[in-house]
Amino acid sequence: MSSSDFGAKVWYNGELVPWENATVHVSAHALHYGSSVFEGIRAYATPPGPAVFRLDEHVERLFNSAKIFRIEVPYTFAEVRQAILDTIKANGHQSCYIRPLIFRGTGALGVEGRGCSVDTIIFTLEWGAYLGPEAIEQGVDVGVSSWRRMAPDTFPAMGKIGGQYVNSQFAKMEAVDNGYVENVVLDVNGYVSEGSGENLFLVSKGVVYTTPLWGSILQGITRQSAIQIAQDLGYEVREQTISREWLYIADELFFTGTAAEVTPIRSVDRIPVGRGSRGPVTAAIQKRFFEITSGEIEDTRGWLTVVE
Ligand code: PMP
């Protein structure tokens, strides 16, 4: 990623401003305490033009994160939705990653930030495969983090809240330092939660498993899409607690996420998963996912919003 990959215009509190002017004050509350909520969204190149994947679900999650965190969003659902489309259009992307962020700005330095301004920004970025260009076909090598996901009474995992990503950063830095692309993080009970920025799926004897919502996971929109795709393809899907050692003996593992899309995992803690390469169930789910996002097959569920 370089600065030239970012869209030239940033939507900032209702206006499209040049990239260089989209700055914040050093006293901004979010900078000190992580008091922000955000989304990661992708738009894909399709025959009728760039199309946003599951736009309404992302905007809904953004508003839910704000509600959990007691941030009053100064815009309506429809305004934020339109602003996302306007930003993509203004930046002329065929495909891109979109980052809406609502944060507590200036006004107070105490930890209680509700007296601060609430600022809203949206920027775009041309971003390829998050876990590396070969990851989609060849899979990634991952470890199990020594850091745990938050216990349910410490941070609200369902909210996509800025400060919570400090936990993700610890997990990701540890992964990189150990020579892995990503780490799987266990929950407070020692069961598999998710990656630092991805949900996790396991395939065993033809059945597809994924960590349930009570496993301190973010309620991933790609996760939910992969569950529906797997069911459409005729697989049984079970939301079930996954133990660490089950990762080692699974037939297949894969991550889902807006940035990671559907990425196979080929080893965990240096133990090969299955044959150590992308498995057939992962490949089938991946194929359908990319057929939908590329507009190759009919969008029967209305998952794509074309940027007019
Ligand atoms: N878990 C975490 C911690 C994440 O940051 C993300 C990325 N938003 C996901 C899971 C995947 O969610 P989604 O498919 O909605 O991008």
Side-chain angles (χ1 to χ4, degrees):
M1 187 196 308
S2 76
S3 59
S4 61
D5 297 331
F6 288 98
K9 290 277 164 59
V10 176
W11 193 94
Y12 201 152
N13 290 336
E15 276 174 66
L16 284 161
V17 302
W19 166 262
E20 339 34 282
N21 298 353
T23 54
V24 294
H25 195 266
V26 291
S27 68
H29 198 267
L31 190 59
H32 299 259
Y33 306 121
S35 31
S36 64
V37 294
F38 67 103
E39 270 306 312
I41 312 174
R42 268 191 196 268
Y44 288 90
T46 70
V52 185
F53 186 66
R54 309 208 67 174
L55 176 58
D56 287 358
E57 288 83 354
H58 281 284
V59 177
E60 186 183 11
R61 190 170 65 186
L62 182 67
F63 274 80
N64 283 340
S65 299
K67 187 172 186 186
I68 291 168
F69 202 19
R70 285 98 164 147
I71 288 182
E72 281 183 37
V73 185
Y75 302 97
T76 63
F77 184 101
E79 285 167 340
V80 172
R81 188 183 186 281
Q82 190 58 45
I84 291 167
L85 295 170
D86 291 346
T87 311
I88 300 166
K89 195 171 176 186
N91 288 326
H93 298 290
Q94 281 313 302
S95 63
C96 63
Y97 179 86
I98 306 122
R99 168 54 55 81
L101 174 87
I102 304 173
F103 64 98
R104 295 206 191 279
T106 55
L109 196 63
V111 166
E112 158 69 276
R114 281 177 287 185
C116 296
S117 64
V118 173
D119 294 300
T120 308
I121 63 100
I122 302 162
F123 62 71
T124 57
L125 168 65
E126 307 240 336
W127 214 5
Y130 175 63
L131 297 175
E134 293 94 38
I136 296 284
E137 277 181 27
Q138 294 179 8
V140 290
D141 300 309
V142 308
V144 174
S145 180
S146 65
W147 297 98
R148 297 285 183 92
R149 285 292 284 168
M150 50 265 205
D153 53 355
T154 58
F155 289 92
M158 266 193 197
K160 203 165 163 60
I161 296 172
Q164 292 175 186
Y165 280 77
V166 172
N167 175 259
S168 290
Q169 289 179 63
F170 277 113
K172 182 82 182 190
M173 286 190 289
E174 186 184 32
V176 171
D177 288 348
N178 288 335
Y180 299 124
V181 169
E182 181 56 289
N183 261 350
V184 171
V185 191
L186 305 180
D187 69 13
V188 68
N189 297 311
Y191 292 106
V192 171
S193 178
E194 58 180 350
S196 72
E198 308 85 8
N199 293 113
L200 185 131
F201 284 75
L202 180 152
V203 183
S204 178
K205 301 188 182 0
V207 178
V208 177
Y209 298 87
T210 193
T211 305
L213 294 182
W214 54 91
S216 292
I217 62 167
L218 183 75
Q219 208 166 351
I221 291 162
T222 323
R223 172 186 179 276
Q224 202 252 328
S225 310
I227 290 173
Q228 289 198 335
I229 289 172
Q231 288 169 340
D232 287 352
L233 294 173
Y235 296 107
E236 185 187 341
V237 181
R238 294 190 202 153
E239 295 182 58
Q240 188 172 308
T241 301
I242 295 171
S243 62
R244 178 176 186 162
E245 67 278 18
W246 202 14
L247 301 176
Y248 302 149
I249 57 173
D251 298 327
E252 302 179 33
L253 295 176
F254 61 92
F255 279 137
T256 63
T258 297
E261 301 170 304
V262 179
T263 300
I265 298 172
R266 66 180 178 191
S267 74
V268 180
D269 292 336
R270 306 209 153 80
I271 300 174
V273 177
R275 281 171 290 130
S277 58
R278 176 174 64 185
V281 180
T282 307
I285 293 170
Q286 227 183 13
K287 181 166 178 281
R288 178 64 64 88
F289 176 82
F290 287 120
E291 281 169 352
I292 296 170
T293 55
S294 63
E296 250 172 81
I297 62 169
E298 203 194 337
D299 174 25
T300 51
R301 290 208 170 84
W303 282 354
L304 297 175
T305 303
V306 176
V307 180
E308 299 296 343

